[in-house]
Amino acid sequence: MNYIKNYFKSKGRGYFVALGAAVLAIISVIIYSAGFGADFPQYFSAAPVWLPILGIVGFLALSVHKLTAPYAPVFMWLLTFIALLLYVDAVYMYLTEVFYSGVNDETLAMLDGSFVAGTVFYALSAVCGNVAIWLRQLKKQPEINPEAEEVTV
């Protein structure tokens, strides 16, 4: 129990932002698979589902060790961003089908809610993952100067 407590105490803001991005990625995968993919199977692709899951597993595995922790959000963001691009590649024809007669209030109302929600969550997970890259993954450890016997940060 003490190990888990120390594990989370050693993590910086970037780790927790990346965890938020992971939650958003899971939500997007669920919405795309269960909602949009079930209603419109012709616009479903498995790659936007599996890449974020692999990214999250890799992020969690890389976050365990101090040497690999700074690269963990990069790995997750890369796979999440590629999943976003593959998602767009899979569903862009749905937009051409909906907006074939032009863009107006009626055609905007025809957009499937799970398509809109899935797109928003994929984009949010990619943005949060990118933000997590630039934040510290580990807290800065205090340095002990043995000569002065002071702790400096």
Side-chain angles (χ1 to χ4, degrees), residues 70-88:
Y71 306 107
V74 176
F75 180 77
M76 184 179 69
W77 173 78
L78 184 65
L79 290 182
T80 304
F81 185 68
I82 292 171
L84 171 66
L85 295 177
L86 292 173
Y87 169 78
V88 169

Side-chain angles (χ1 to χ4, degrees), residues 16-28:
F16 295 106
V17 172
L19 277 180
V23 169
L24 292 172
I26 290 170
I27 292 170
S28 64

